[in-house]
Every structure is written in structure tokens, then in C-alpha cells.
Amino acid sequence: MQIEVSGITKRFGSVLAVDGLSFSVRPGAVTGFVGPNGAGKSTTMRVMLALDRADSGQATFDGHRYRELADPMRSVGALLDAEGVHPRRSARNHLAMFAATNRIPDARVDEVLGLVGLADVATRRAGGFSLGMSQHLGLALALLGDPPVMILDEPANGLDPEGILWIRRSMRYLADQGRSVFVSSHLLSELGQVVDELVVIGKGRLLASGSLHDVLGTQGRPLVTVVSPDARRLGELIARTGAAVVVDDVGAEGGGVEGGGAGESLRLDVTGLDAASVGELAAANGIVLHELTPREPSLEDAFLRLTSKTQEFRAGEAGS
Amino acid sequence: MSALLRGEWIKFRSVRSPWVMIAVAVAVVVALLIAGIAVDSSKGRDPAESLAVSSTFVIVLLLVLGVQLIAQEYRFGTIRATFTSVPDCSRLILAKMIFGVAVGLVSALIAIAGSFVVASIVANSYGHSIPIDARLVETVSGYVLAAGISVALGIAVGSITRNSALGITAVLLDMFVLESLVTVFASEGLGSVLPFRAAFASIPATSIRSGLSLWFVAVLVYAAWAVGLAVIGTVIVERRDP
């Protein structure tokens, strides 16, 4: 089932939360949805699920708006707020009441509780669940209708490493079954390991979308880490090629090198020149290298570059 | 609609608080009715009046139950999952109202039927029987219908306020302050069509008087308030983001 988001705009009073956002989510892929805090990710997901009313634009699932879907849990499974559970209601009853409204057989309730590992606590009150268990219950609710589309808002929240691995594998498994999996997460390293496609937003606007390879390839230039006792001279040589050089993470980028003195073994982070070129440049100038490591551009690198101008607030720089 | 009603039934039966409220309402009806019929009938007291004694307490309790049936969903955040499972707000609120009416009707019927059985046994032990006349039948009918409508009206109020405390306060203020003020300072005619005056006028033997002389007209007026507030609640729910 294809998801099409077309020109969604949502305003809360004077705050423009989502601004003409458009993107697609295709079946058989895990599509990551990333953006800084306050970028409009959750609002977009709520609009997609008809929980928030868009000022303009729409989201469709194979051409149908969410409200038009008969028994919507059979078409779209959603995990938005895992802690939205009556504390005195059992996990089983929590799922059973939603299953009933969408004509989902009771047997499926026990099936999904088993799938998420909550079968043993099915009759326990959900109020006693840990955040991780609540997250599992939320995922069970999303899976209840065996839907072709999954919309997951921060599904790894509160999960231990084993739970995060389980979520990652589950998303991959669901996508490999041909489902459309649309997931937001601030755990970019985790997301980077599982997503096929990315939608990056900032201040409610689309910053980039496409395959993970495309987004990283266009935004993350080659990265190389170099350690040399003659780092300053090497850094200056590299900078002359137009590549950006950072010394020990405190140097200036591009056009020059700061930090460290001649003869010290310092680390250089080079952006825009591949490892082979750096090695050849060092050899041609008789510079000794202690380390030369090509690095793949990470999702964090691409994310930070894409969103650096759109963050409404950010933590202070270390040491500032 | 049957699927939605089944969902509401599971919501209702799977937590304790609604059962406690129903149990208290039933216990009050049973206790007052048995006491009134079994003991006072020897002094010639009308059994319909004995039944009507509990009406104020029971109507308040069922209104509070109705408010809770929807406001608790907002309180615990289950409303988002509810709206993703049933995105059509009007169908959802209609299902809740129908379910609420059923809960009120069944609770009142069980309470009244049970207490009449017990009261008959007790009355027989005193050597007399419970007189069943048209006035008693009308009072029982009005009582049961008012009970059902009360839960539905509570749900309608809860859909507007989304908050238990606010909803319950609004109901109590209207019942015990606003309607009395309107009746005293505005007009008796206007006061008689206000919701709780109409609710009590639905029960012919109640001591609270209203300008609505026919009990079934009062039932219709009370039901109209519930439907009207539910329509307002649905419009508000549609416009506000949960």
C-alpha cells in the first residue's frame, strides 16, 4: 500500500508546524522520518492518521484518506503513544477492545501478544508495565490488524538494547513482507541500519527525501580520518586541494588548518578527499601516516548538515 | 455499529470503576425501595413514592458514570488509539450513547425488579402485598428511561468537556444551582424544560415538580437534551484535535 503525503500544512495558532510537506512511502521498504525536535514529525503522523486536521493538503493510502478506510486497523497499524493505556486494564483487554471495533478475531489478540513477547503478562494490569513493555504493547496494537502499512513514532523509546534489536529486525521483516513501514526515530545510528528510504524535515518543510544511499551520497561527501606526527603540514596540503580539514575536532574547516603544533601526532578529519588521494598526497610530500581510515558518511553526518539551519533550539557547544 | 458496541462493552467490563458505580446505584435503589415498600407500606405509603426517593441520587450517579465513560479515555490517553480505530467521531459517540442508554436501562431494570422481588417477600412476611397500579407502572417506566438517558447525557457532556472533574462539576452546577435559579428568577415554563427538571418529571412519583405534566413528554424532553448535547459534543470533537 503506497502512502502519498501531498502538500500538508498544519498551523497551531501562530506556529506553523508543517509547511506544505509532500513525500511518498513505498511498499516493501522501511522509510525513516527524521528531523530535529519540533520539526513536525509527530504532527505529520497525526495528520496522516486523521488525529489532527490539516489546514491544507492530504495523506492517502492507495488513494484513500485514512477516514475513508473501512476497519482502518486492518490497513494501517499505528504506534504513536505507547503509554496511552488505562492502568487498570489488562494488556489483553486493551487489545481486545480495539480488535472488536475493527472486526479482528479475538485469536489475533493472543497471537500478537505472543509476537511481542507479552503472552505471559497478558492478564496483568498495563499500569504496572515498564516503558519498554508499554512500547511492546503499543507495537502489538499496531500489528493487531495485520496491516499492510505501519506508522511508528519513536518505536525504540524506552527499549533496552535487546528490544531495539528486536524492533529493528521486526521492521525489516515487515518491510520484506511487502509492507510500507514509516518510522520516526531520534536514534539515527539505529535507523541508519534498517531504513531503505529517508524523509528529512526541518521546521515542517521537506529537506531531503529518497533512498538512504541518495541522501547520504548527495549530502555526505567522502570522509577520511588521518593520524600523522606531521599533521599540521599535511592538513595544510589537504586544505589547498579544497577539502575541509578538522584537527582534533577543534580546527577550522576548509582553506586552512588550526590546532596542534608541528611534530605532534594529531588526528585530522578530512571531508571531500578520499583516502587514496590523502595517502598519495602524504607519500608525495614524505609525510609519515600512523592511521588512514576511510569513513562512510553516516546518517548523523547527513542529518546534521541537512538540518543545521532549521533547528529552533540546540544544546550549547561543548566547551563553549 | 455492533462492532463498536462490542468494543464499548469490553472497555466497560474490563475496569472496575463503572461496576462500582453501577453497584452503588443498584444498592441504593434496592435498599430504599425495600425499606419503603416492605416497611412503610404497612403505613399506607405509595410504593411509587418509595421508588422515586432514590431517583436524585441514581440520576446523579449515572450522569457521573456517563461523563467518566468518555472523559477517562482522554485522561489515560486511550482516546488517540480509539480515534485511530474509529476515525468517524460521530459513529463513535453514537455507539457510546447507545451503549450508555443500555447500561442505564439494564441497571435500573435489574435494581427495580430485584428490589420488588425482595420487597414482596418482606411485605408478605408482614402479611400484606405490594399494590401494583398504573401510577407505579408509569413511575417504573419513567425511572428506567430516565436512567438510560442519564448515562447518555453524561457521555454527551463528557465529549464536550473531555475532563471528568469539569464534566461532573458542570452537571452538578446545572442540576442544583442553575436550573433552580432559572426556575425562580426567569420563568417556571422555561425551568420545566431544562434537562434535570425534565428528568425528574419523567418519574411521576418524584417530589420535584415540573411544568411538564405528562411523564413521557418529559422523557422526550430529557432525551432531546441528551441528543442536542451529543450533537454539540460531536461537532467539538470533530473540530478539536484529540
Side-chain angles (χ1 to χ4, degrees):
Chain A
M1 188 177 263
Q2 177 93 7
I3 307 174
E4 290 291 343
V5 171
S6 314
I8 285 180
T9 296
K10 174 69 180 174
R11 186 181 284 278
F12 295 105
S14 61
V15 178
L16 185 59
V18 183
D19 185 7
L21 188 60
S22 300
F23 59 85
S24 303
V25 177
R26 68 175 173 85
V30 179
T31 301
F33 190 35
V34 296
N37 289 335
K41 301 187 296 294
S42 293
T43 302
T44 302
M45 287 182 155
R46 287 163 57 91
V47 167
M48 292 167 75
L49 295 165
L51 288 172
D52 279 359
R53 185 178 293 269
D55 297 321
S56 61
Q58 64 175 14
T60 57
F61 302 86
D62 270 358
H64 301 282
R65 292 183 191 220
Y66 189 82
R67 275 173 163 262
E68 297 164 358
L69 299 171
D71 297 332
M73 292 178 79
R74 290 174 177 270
S75 301
V76 181
L79 168 61
L80 292 186
D81 177 14
E83 292 190 276
V85 181
H86 193 298
R88 292 185 176 274
R89 189 172 279 132
S90 73
R92 193 181 188 289
N93 279 328
H94 176 71
L95 297 182
M97 66 190 198
F98 293 115
T101 60
N102 278 247
R103 284 176 269 268
I104 296 164
D106 282 347
R108 178 66 182 165
V109 171
D110 294 318
E111 196 178 320
V112 292
L113 282 168
L115 276 175
V116 301
L118 293 178
D120 292 341
V121 293
T123 55
R124 256 178 54 186
R125 286 176 178 175
F129 282 9
S130 66
L131 180 57
M133 289 165 80
S134 297
Q135 204 73 4
H136 279 247
L137 183 58
L139 197 69
L141 182 61
L143 289 166
L144 197 57
D146 197 16
V149 172
M150 300 288 288
I151 295 180
L152 311 172
D153 191 10
E154 302 281 359
N157 259 3
L159 296 184
D160 55 21
E162 190 183 345
I164 291 172
L165 182 64
W166 178 80
I167 278 278
R168 203 165 67 209
R169 286 178 176 164
S170 298
M171 289 193 291
R172 184 73 270 153
Y173 174 72
L174 292 167
D176 289 345
Q177 288 182 319
R179 300 173 207 252
S180 311
V181 180
F182 185 54
V183 54
S184 78
S185 178
H186 65 276
L187 299 174
L188 296 178
S189 55
E190 285 301 326
L191 210 54
Q193 293 181 56
V194 69
V195 296
D196 306 298
E197 312 255 334
L198 264 181
V199 175
V200 186
I201 66 169
K203 286 189 175 174
R205 294 194 199 115
L206 184 70
L207 299 178
S209 70
S211 70
L212 179 65
H213 180 77
D214 285 348
V215 173
L216 295 183
T218 54
Q219 299 299 329
R221 293 171 291 165
L223 295 173
V224 179
T225 297
V226 191
V227 179
S228 167
D230 198 2
R232 183 176 172 76
R233 191 159 70 90
L234 177 61
E236 301 228 338
L237 290 168
I238 292 170
R240 277 184 213 152
T241 69
V245 184
V246 177
V247 183
D248 257 356
D249 295 329
V250 293
E253 283 196 27
V257 181
E258 293 179 4
E264 293 179 50
S265 190
L266 293 174
R267 195 188 80 178
L268 305 176
D269 288 325
V270 180
T271 307
L273 199 63
D274 61 25
S277 302
V278 172
E280 285 164 11
L281 190 64
N285 290 277
I287 296 173
V288 174
L289 298 183
H290 290 172
E291 181 185 337
L292 179 62
T293 312
R295 283 200 293 132
E296 283 297 312
S298 70
L299 187 51
E300 280 94 341
D301 295 323
F303 175 83
L304 289 172
R305 283 195 185 88
L306 283 164
T307 63
S308 60
K309 289 178 183 169
T310 66
Q311 295 197 49
E312 289 189 357
F313 59 91
R314 63 171 76 192
E317 299 286 338
S320 65
Chain B
M1 186 53 71
S2 62
L4 269 62
L5 291 173
R6 185 162 174 264
E8 289 302 318
W9 165 240
I10 296 171
K11 278 179 202 173
F12 183 87
R13 70 165 168 75
S14 57
V15 288
R16 193 184 299 165
S17 55
W19 289 110
V20 171
M21 296 178 80
I22 292 289
V24 170
V26 169
V28 167
V29 174
V30 170
L32 291 177
L33 196 58
I34 289 173
I37 293 174
V39 180
D40 291 346
S41 61
S42 60
K43 301 168 189 167
R45 186 166 177 178
D46 181 357
E49 280 178 24
S50 300
L51 178 60
V53 167
S54 61
S55 62
T56 305
F57 182 80
V58 169
I59 283 176
V60 169
L61 206 62
L62 293 178
L63 280 161
V64 170
L65 172 66
V67 171
Q68 298 275 51
L69 286 180
I70 189 162
Q72 293 276 307
E73 291 219 41
Y74 283 96
R75 180 183 170 197
F76 294 114
T78 54
I79 195 71
R80 285 180 216 100
T82 296
F83 280 132
T84 48
S85 67
V86 186
D88 184 342
C89 306
S90 55
R91 279 186 71 224
L92 180 71
I93 290 176
L94 179 62
K96 282 186 180 293
M97 298 273 286
I98 293 171
F99 180 77
V101 168
V103 167
L105 288 177
V106 171
S107 305
L109 272 176
I110 289 172
I112 292 170
S115 52
F116 265 97
V117 169
V118 178
S120 296
I121 295 167
V122 176
N124 283 340
S125 70
Y126 281 90
H128 50 79
S129 60
I130 298 171
I132 297 176
D133 53 18
R135 183 172 150 80
L136 180 61
V137 172
E138 285 176 359
T139 298
V140 169
S141 305
Y143 197 118
V144 170
L145 290 170
I149 296 167
S150 295
V151 182
L153 194 137
I155 291 168
V157 171
S159 69
I160 294 169
T161 64
R162 304 198 293 185
N163 176 289
S164 295
L166 193 59
I168 293 166
T169 304
V171 162
L172 295 179
L173 268 180
D174 182 56
M175 181 182 262
F176 295 113
V177 181
L178 192 63
E179 293 197 13
S180 300
L181 290 176
V182 169
T183 306
V184 172
F185 295 108
S187 82
E188 180 67 32
L190 178 62
S192 66
V193 295
L194 292 177
F196 301 116
R197 294 268 149 181
F200 294 118
S202 305
I203 306 166
T206 189
S207 58
I208 299 173
R209 299 269 69 87
S210 162
L212 298 171
S213 52
L214 297 171
W215 69 273
F216 51 87
V217 173
V219 168
L220 291 176
V221 170
Y222 192 36
W225 274 102
V227 171
L229 289 172
V231 169
I232 293 170
T234 304
V235 171
I236 289 173
V237 169
E238 285 276 359
R239 290 190 177 175
R240 279 191 305 211
D241 302 324

